[in-house]
Amino acid sequence: MDVLLFIIKNNLKNIFSVRNVILFVLYIIAIFICLPYIEISVKIQLIMGFFPLILIVICSRDLAKEFESGAYKYIFTGKLHRSYIILFKNISIIVIAIILGVVFSVLAFMKDFSNGIELSISMFFTQLLKIELVFISFTMFISSVASFITILSKNFVYTLLVLYIMFFDTFRNILETVAIRTKMDLLKKILFQSPFLEALKGFQNCYYPTRVIVIMLSTSLILSLLDCIIIEKIDL
């Protein structure tokens, strides 16, 4: 438990450092200054659109920094099982995601308010719970994929690049186009049920159907199990 708390505290300190907070504030200021004639709700939406990338960067960096700094030899050769370290790191990222989910919820509330939607405290907390579910599901899925790639590559840039291609790049759009135009029903079904294709869409819509959540969490659990097996077996 002490190790878990230490990892959570250390990650919170790194992610919510003064530098990172200032950079995020500067990003918000830039949105409002550089886009003076756009509606406030659109500006807030642009800020909210930055959150999935933030989570992907955090998940890519969390384990990779240990390999790049050489600290992994100390971390993974202690008394604690290597798989526990991976598990604790994933939990710490989920804690960070929950905090970011609160910030995201406040922005969503401000966006609705700027659009003249009638709001209440109960509506805010209902929306908060829905957003937190999305953030937790998305983060669990991303962190398991990121850990798998990082264990194999031991490189932050490579992990981030692969994740970006999976979730943001035109590769995802190409797959969707193929799925729409192809006459092969099986290929369509596989592509449209791919958690990589649906994860970002659901995040942007702040909603995941139950089927998607089950697929994402199942994939996350399987990959996390593989992560633990591989980290225990490989020679560090």
Side-chain angles (χ1 to χ4, degrees):
M1 183 60 69
D2 290 339
V3 176
L4 174 59
L5 293 176
F6 173 79
I7 291 175
I8 293 175
K9 180 180 178 180
N10 189 55
N11 273 0
L12 287 174
K13 182 179 179 180
N14 290 333
I15 299 303
F16 298 104
S17 64
V18 174
R19 185 194 66 175
N20 290 341
V21 171
I22 290 176
L23 288 174
F24 185 67
V25 171
L26 290 176
Y27 171 74
I28 294 176
I29 293 174
I31 290 293
F32 278 88
I33 292 179
C34 297
L35 304 173
Y37 302 110
I38 295 180
E39 295 180 358
I40 293 178
S41 62
V42 177
K43 295 178 180 179
I44 295 176
Q45 184 63 48
L46 289 173
I47 297 171
M48 293 166 64
F50 193 55
F51 277 72
L53 181 58
I54 292 176
L55 287 171
I56 285 178
V57 171
I58 291 173
C59 292
S60 301
R61 184 62 179 166
D62 184 57
L63 186 58
K65 70 177 185 293
E66 312 295 356
F67 286 104
E68 293 184 343
S69 66
Y72 71 95
K73 292 183 179 180
Y74 169 75
I75 293 175
F76 291 117
T77 56
K79 296 181 179 179
L80 201 62
H81 285 290
R82 297 176 182 180
S83 55
Y84 287 174
I85 299 296
I86 298 295
L87 175 62
F88 290 168
K89 279 185 166 293
N90 287 339
I91 292 175
S92 71
I93 293 177
I94 292 173
V95 172
I96 292 171
I98 291 173
I99 296 173
L100 291 177
V102 174
V103 177
F104 189 92
S105 298
V106 172
L107 291 171
F109 195 78
M110 292 171 59
K111 176 189 171 185
D112 291 341
F113 180 78
S114 66
N115 285 329
I117 299 176
E118 187 175 348
L119 303 171
S120 66
I121 298 298
S122 62
M123 288 177 61
F124 171 76
F125 283 105
T126 300
Q127 185 181 55
L128 174 62
L129 292 176
K130 291 180 179 179
I131 289 175
E132 289 293 3
L133 178 60
V134 170
F135 266 67
I136 292 172
S137 300
F138 182 79
T139 303
M140 286 183 64
F141 181 58
I142 297 296
S143 63
S144 62
V145 177
S147 295
F148 181 78
I149 299 170
T150 303
I151 291 171
L152 299 178
S153 68
K154 300 179 176 63
N155 184 275
F156 164 66
V157 174
Y158 182 83
T159 302
L160 180 61
L161 180 61
V162 172
L163 288 178
Y164 183 83
I165 290 174
M166 284 180 174
F167 296 97
F168 284 94
D169 203 57
T170 52
F171 176 71
R172 181 171 59 87
N173 296 326
I174 291 173
L175 287 180
E176 289 179 322
T177 302
V178 171
I180 292 172
R181 295 185 178 182
T182 183
K183 295 181 180 180
M184 297 175 61
D185 293 335
L186 178 60
L187 181 58
K188 287 182 182 179
K189 187 175 181 180
I190 292 173
L191 290 177
F192 278 112
Q193 289 185 353
S194 168
F196 300 108
L197 295 177
E198 299 194 59
L200 186 60
K201 280 187 177 180
F203 190 100
Q204 292 169 337
N205 295 327
C206 295
Y207 172 75
Y208 287 126
T210 303
R211 176 186 62 83
V212 176
I213 291 178
V214 171
I215 292 174
M216 289 175 63
L217 295 183
S218 299
T219 305
S220 173
L221 291 174
I222 292 171
L223 284 176
S224 295
L225 180 60
L226 285 175
D227 294 341
C228 293
I229 294 173
I230 294 173
I231 198 66
E232 291 285 355
K233 297 295 183 181
I234 62 173
D235 183 13
L236 298 175

